[in-house]
Each structure stands twice: as C-alpha cells, then as structure tokens.
Amino acid sequence: MKKSLYPLVTSIILYSILLSTNSCNKSKSADAIIEKDKSELIKPKPITEKRVVPIDTIDYNKRMLALANNDTTGRWPAKTPYPLTGAILPYNRIIAYYGNLYSKRMGILGELPRAEMLKKLQSEVARWQAADSTVKAIPALHYIAITAQGAPGKDNLHRMRMPFKQIDTILKWAKPINALVFLDVQVGHSNVKDEVTTLESYLKLPNVHLGIDPEFSLKHGEIPGSKIGTFTSDDINDAIDILANLVRKNKLTPKILVVHRFTQGMVTGYKNIKKVPEVQVIMNMDGFGDKILKRSTYLSYIYKEPVQFTGFKLFYKNDIKKNWTMYTPEELVKFTPKPIYIQYQ
C-alpha cells in the first residue's frame, strides 16, 4: 500500500513547492512539469498494448515433476529457467514422423504417400493420448532439410541443402492436421552456425522448430557414415543462440531444439549447454535395436546427463529385426524421465 501511494505523494509535494516559489509569477515551464506529472498518474495504458502473462510456475513445476517419474537421484527434473509464455513443453507430447521426400529409406515421412502417412501419424498420436491422458499428444513432421553426403559436392562439405520448395511442401502437409514442423540438419564437414542460418526464414515461423544431428558432424575429414560424428556444447549453443535471437527479434513463443544422441561421444560438455527461456532443448535417444539395448542407451546417455527434456526414437523396421519388438507408448511412459518427444522413422 505504501509503495503504491509514493508516486502520488511525491507529485503533490512537487506541485505545492512549485506553487509556493512561483506564486507571483507562474512560469509556463513549471505548469508544463506539473501537468506532465499529473497526466502520468492517470494516463491509461493503450488498448493495443500486448500484456505478457507469465506462466503458472506452480503448474509448470507439477508437470515437470510428473515427467521426472518420481526420480529420487536429484537429476530430474533438470534445473533450468522457466520458459517464456506460450511454451509447447511440458504441456504437450510431440509425436513426430521423420524423413526426407527424396528417399523412402530415410524414414516414414518420405516412405508413404502423403494421405496414408498423415493418417498413420494421427493414429499414433491417438495411441499416445490413450497411454498418457495427462499430457496432450500433438503431431509433428520432422523433415531432414540438410542431409550429409558420402560425396563431397561442389563445395567439398559433404552435405546437401534441400530445395526450399520441399520445405514448403512439408509446411502445406502439416497445416491440415495442425502439426508442428521440425527442420533437421546434418552438417557433414560444415558447421551448425552456417547451416542453421540458411533456414532462418523458416525458423522464424511460429510452428517451425529445429533438429541437429551430431552423428553426421565429422570434424576431422572422415566421410559421413564411415564413423559416428560429434557435437560439442559450443556447436549446440550456436543453434540455441540462433533460435533465441529469432524468438527475441520476432517476439515468438519458445523454439524447440532436438539433439539426436545414442553414444557417449556424440555430445560432449553437456553441462555447458545453455538453458534459456527462449529455447526448449530435447535430447533424443536415437538408436535402434532390441529393448534391452535401447533402454540401456537411454539410461546411460540421456538419463545420466540431464539437459532439459528427453525424446525417444522408434524405428518401424530396424526395431523389429531379429525377433525384436518395438516399445509401446504404455511402456515408454514408465521410463524415468518420461520422454516428451517421440520420433518415428
């Protein structure tokens, strides 16, 4: 109460002083000061002013604890700043189809015709919603926009940038089902900053987010696919900086960054990965194999090295070889922490 009255009391005192010292000869400048001060006390805020409503931190904390699945080690939930208002996570679980339109071997997104693919994706979203009704399941198309190449190419960087018309096609496919779009980057012999920058015109769109894949980042001249690559925290922070700047510049809700991982060496310096309100980071368990191997990988490299959120990749073909069976939604929501991003290839 005292703080709210202070500006008014100050103005009244100022008004009295000015009247007493200038009673015989009021100056226009004094009148102007008084009128300005009085007007500021009663000046209404413009109707068009955008008021930022902060997130409900109590609800956010509750949801993050639920994702941690009663972890008792203190690792989860990961300690990060609260996101900007409008954040997608942890209020939604993203169910994504991954691939490239040039290849039927790179994922379900390019393997099936559009209508069949979208119908199948929506059925997976429904399965996840049934498995965990506490978190809304939403669809996404995760498109490999820059692919690593065995051949060096014209610029000798062992990567190929897809034509923008393909990204436009993915955006059109996403619209009828209100799906998010992720643009995935495999840098080859290039780097995160140079490649992600080429996609800024799309990343500034509200529904477009980013994925980066260290598997295909070969820093010592190896041919992509001949060995597993790596990202340092600096590489990942370059992506975070680009996204955060886009959010601030364009007044966007937080962007999501998916980082693929299935070995220890694919990501180094995880403790130095930036945590900022503008970007939500998902470490995505990207390996295929039997259930025991995949769970072990998740525990070793995702659970033990917390960043913010976690994801889990499922392979329609490679996870069912050798009499293996693919994890079900009901099984995965029992993981600690619960994955909030599910990717199908």
Side-chain angles (χ1 to χ4, degrees):
M1 180 64 72
K2 290 181 179 180
K3 289 184 178 180
S4 63
L5 291 175
Y6 184 80
L8 182 57
V9 172
T10 302
S11 297
I12 293 172
I13 293 172
L14 173 62
Y15 186 82
S16 300
I17 293 171
L18 287 169
L19 283 177
S20 62
T21 57
N22 297 283
S23 58
C24 296
N25 185 22
K26 292 181 180 180
S27 68
K28 291 182 180 180
S29 60
D31 288 340
I33 293 172
I34 295 167
E35 290 305 316
K36 179 182 178 183
D37 192 61
K38 288 166 63 181
S39 67
E40 286 181 349
L41 289 174
I42 60 174
K43 183 179 180 181
K45 292 185 178 180
I47 296 175
T48 57
E49 181 180 339
K50 183 178 180 181
R51 299 184 181 183
V52 177
V53 179
I55 67 166
D56 182 339
T57 56
I58 294 176
D59 179 59
Y60 181 89
N61 292 340
K62 181 179 178 181
R63 290 174 180 273
M64 293 299 287
L65 285 171
L67 283 181
N69 227 0
N70 300 314
D71 180 51
T72 59
T73 66
R75 288 189 177 94
W76 297 94
K79 295 167 180 60
T80 62
Y82 290 115
L84 299 180
T85 185
I88 293 173
L89 307 174
Y91 310 100
N92 302 274
R93 175 173 281 113
I94 301 166
I95 314 302
Y97 267 13
Y98 171 95
N100 179 278
L101 299 184
Y102 280 150
S103 173
K104 293 185 176 182
R105 297 185 301 171
M106 295 181 74
I108 190 72
L109 179 55
E111 180 181 352
L112 297 180
R114 177 188 60 83
E116 184 180 351
M117 181 271 297
L118 293 178
K119 183 178 180 180
K120 188 175 179 66
L121 172 57
Q122 289 176 293
S123 70
E124 294 291 5
V125 171
R127 287 182 63 208
W128 277 93
Q129 191 63 74
D132 185 1
S133 61
T134 65
V135 181
K136 182 181 179 181
I138 60 175
L141 301 179
H142 195 121
Y143 171 70
I144 312 168
I146 300 175
T147 65
Q149 302 289 307
K154 293 181 180 179
D155 49 15
N156 204 38
L157 290 177
H158 287 267
R159 62 95 179 94
M160 179 183 292
R161 296 169 179 170
M162 298 296 106
F164 281 179
K165 64 181 181 180
Q166 277 205 10
I167 300 176
D168 294 336
T169 296
I170 297 300
L171 289 171
K172 290 177 183 177
W173 287 7
K175 191 173 182 179
I177 63 170
N178 198 29
L180 301 177
V181 171
F182 286 82
L183 301 180
D184 207 82
V185 174
Q186 301 173 355
V187 300
H189 291 181
S190 184
N191 61 76
V192 169
K193 185 180 293 185
D194 288 348
E195 298 310 313
V196 173
T197 300
T198 67
L199 300 172
E200 283 189 340
S201 62
Y202 288 101
L203 291 170
K204 70 181 181 182
L205 299 176
N207 67 321
V208 179
H209 303 271
L210 180 65
I212 55 176
D213 197 343
E215 179 182 0
F216 300 103
S217 170
L218 285 307
K219 299 181 180 300
H220 304 292
E222 304 93 342
I223 296 175
S226 65
K227 67 172 293 185
I228 297 171
T230 185
F231 277 155
T232 65
S233 57
D234 288 339
D235 295 321
I236 297 170
N237 287 340
D238 282 341
I240 292 172
D241 287 341
I242 291 171
L243 292 176
N245 287 335
L246 286 173
V247 168
R248 289 190 287 264
K249 182 178 179 180
N250 297 282
K251 295 180 172 57
L252 302 171
T253 54
K255 289 294 180 180
I256 297 172
L257 173 64
V258 174
V259 182
H260 304 285
R261 187 180 193 185
F262 58 88
T263 71
Q264 183 72 44
M266 283 176 71
V267 173
T268 61
Y270 80 96
K271 291 182 180 179
N272 297 320
I273 295 173
K274 292 182 178 180
K275 289 90 172 177
V276 296
E278 295 86 359
V279 182
Q280 299 189 292
V281 181
I282 297 171
M283 299 302 293
N284 184 43
M285 205 297 287
D286 192 19
F288 65 84
D290 67 8
K291 288 181 178 179
I292 295 175
L293 175 61
K294 295 190 71 159
R295 181 174 178 80
S296 174
T297 300
Y298 188 80
L299 290 173
S300 297
Y301 312 129
I302 306 298
Y303 168 76
K304 287 185 178 179
E305 298 192 356
V307 178
Q308 189 170 17
F309 296 95
T310 70
F312 203 92
K313 191 167 187 177
L314 296 167
F315 294 76
Y316 280 121
K317 295 179 180 179
N318 289 340
D319 279 352
I320 61 172
K321 291 180 177 180
K322 305 179 182 179
N323 295 319
W324 299 335
T325 57
M326 193 165 64
Y327 271 113
T328 66
E330 291 78 10
E331 290 171 327
L332 286 176
V333 295
K334 295 178 182 177
F335 275 34
T336 299
K338 299 178 185 178
I340 198 72
Y341 171 86
I342 306 297
Q343 186 181 89
Y344 287 89
Q345 181 169 337

